[in-house]
Amino acid sequence: MSKWKEKQVRPVLPLYLAALAWPLASLVFPPYSLGNLVLVAVCSAVVYGVARVLCPMRVVRTLMPFATGSEDVDAMLTGIERNLDALHQLNDAIPDQVLSDAMDQMEATGRKIVRTVEHDPQKARQIDRFARYYLPEIIKLMSGYVELEANGASDGILSELRQNAVTTANAFDNLLESLYSSEVMDLSTDMEVLDSILKSQNLTK
């Protein structure tokens, strides 16, 4: 779930006015003596202080795409989303149906992985290699496919890239399934316990 991040920013106008006040005050109090130099410095400081009062801190609001409570996880998910968007754009440029279907599968599974980790940030460590290597690598390969196909490369390498995409799409599915392995195990255990209780009460045939 996205949220607005607020940050207070100090305005730079007081600094500019203080810097401008220094040469102007020097016209009135030529800084050839220590006393006049002090007066010039005081004038500049007064201008800065007044400007600070008249120019309060500004609040800058930035929309954060993710708010998991961990900046590292938020950055990881943002990077994954960016790569999935790039994968979608590459898919639009690829007419091959088999490859396009595999890329659709990868994108859909990738977005499910993002939602899963967003709801349970502790699963982030399980997708570290997916975020840092697998997904960026498939972007690189598909970009190469688009370039090779445009330049009329041999069908041999293009066929290998298609097969690699299908294998990768299935690997993404396996990764998503592994994220729910503990939940599946807990559910299976609960069902076994419930079944045992029902049998002990003679409530099942």
Side-chain angles (χ1 to χ4, degrees), residues 34 39-40 50 77 130 139 151 170 204:
L34 180 60
L39 288 175
V40 171
V50 172
L77 296 180
F130 167 79
I139 298 296
N151 293 330
N170 292 331
T204 59

Short mmCIF file of all heavy atoms in Angstrom, two decimals, residues 34 39-40 50 77 130 139 151 170 204:
data_model
loop_
_atom_site.label_atom_id
_atom_site.label_comp_id
_atom_site.label_asym_id
_atom_site.label_seq_id
_atom_site.Cartn_x
_atom_site.Cartn_y
_atom_site.Cartn_z
N LEU A 34 38.19 46.18 12.65
CA LEU A 34 37.53 45.05 13.31
C LEU A 34 36.12 45.40 13.72
O LEU A 34 35.20 44.58 13.60
CB LEU A 34 38.36 44.61 14.52
CG LEU A 34 37.78 43.42 15.31
CD1 LEU A 34 37.65 42.19 14.42
CD2 LEU A 34 38.65 43.13 16.53
N LEU A 39 30.21 44.73 12.74
CA LEU A 39 28.91 45.30 12.42
C LEU A 39 28.33 44.69 11.15
O LEU A 39 27.13 44.40 11.07
CB LEU A 39 29.03 46.82 12.26
CG LEU A 39 29.23 47.62 13.55
CD1 LEU A 39 29.47 49.10 13.22
CD2 LEU A 39 28.02 47.48 14.46
N VAL A 40 29.18 44.51 10.14
CA VAL A 40 28.72 43.89 8.89
C VAL A 40 28.22 42.48 9.14
O VAL A 40 27.18 42.05 8.65
CB VAL A 40 29.86 43.89 7.85
CG1 VAL A 40 29.46 43.04 6.63
CG2 VAL A 40 30.17 45.32 7.40
N VAL A 50 15.81 37.29 10.56
CA VAL A 50 14.48 37.80 10.19
C VAL A 50 13.90 36.99 9.03
O VAL A 50 12.71 36.63 9.02
CB VAL A 50 14.57 39.29 9.82
CG1 VAL A 50 13.23 39.78 9.25
CG2 VAL A 50 14.96 40.12 11.04
N LEU A 77 10.99 -3.76 -3.71
CA LEU A 77 9.71 -3.90 -4.41
C LEU A 77 9.57 -2.85 -5.51
O LEU A 77 9.02 -3.15 -6.58
CB LEU A 77 8.56 -3.79 -3.42
CG LEU A 77 8.48 -4.90 -2.36
CD1 LEU A 77 7.28 -4.68 -1.44
CD2 LEU A 77 8.41 -6.27 -3.00
N PHE A 130 15.80 -13.27 -6.90
CA PHE A 130 14.81 -12.94 -7.92
C PHE A 130 14.88 -11.46 -8.27
O PHE A 130 14.86 -11.08 -9.45
CB PHE A 130 13.42 -13.30 -7.41
CG PHE A 130 12.28 -12.72 -8.23
CD1 PHE A 130 11.91 -13.30 -9.43
CD2 PHE A 130 11.59 -11.60 -7.77
CE1 PHE A 130 10.86 -12.77 -10.18
CE2 PHE A 130 10.55 -11.07 -8.52
CZ PHE A 130 10.18 -11.65 -9.71
N ILE A 139 15.19 -9.44 -18.31
CA ILE A 139 15.03 -8.18 -19.05
C ILE A 139 16.15 -8.05 -20.08
O ILE A 139 15.93 -7.69 -21.24
CB ILE A 139 15.05 -6.97 -18.10
CG1 ILE A 139 13.88 -7.03 -17.10
CG2 ILE A 139 15.00 -5.66 -18.89
CD1 ILE A 139 12.53 -6.94 -17.73
N ASN A 151 17.41 -7.65 -36.35
CA ASN A 151 18.58 -7.73 -37.24
C ASN A 151 18.61 -9.03 -38.04
O ASN A 151 19.61 -9.31 -38.72
CB ASN A 151 19.87 -7.59 -36.43
CG ASN A 151 20.01 -6.21 -35.82
OD1 ASN A 151 19.52 -5.23 -36.38
ND2 ASN A 151 20.68 -6.12 -34.69
N ASN A 170 8.19 -20.69 -15.58
CA ASN A 170 7.83 -21.77 -14.64
C ASN A 170 8.61 -21.63 -13.33
O ASN A 170 8.07 -21.93 -12.26
CB ASN A 170 8.13 -23.12 -15.28
CG ASN A 170 7.20 -23.43 -16.45
OD1 ASN A 170 6.06 -22.95 -16.48
ND2 ASN A 170 7.67 -24.21 -17.41
N THR A 204 -17.34 -38.69 12.00
CA THR A 204 -17.08 -38.99 10.59
C THR A 204 -17.34 -40.47 10.34
O THR A 204 -17.25 -41.30 11.25
CB THR A 204 -15.63 -38.66 10.22
OG1 THR A 204 -14.73 -39.43 11.04
CG2 THR A 204 -15.35 -37.19 10.41
#
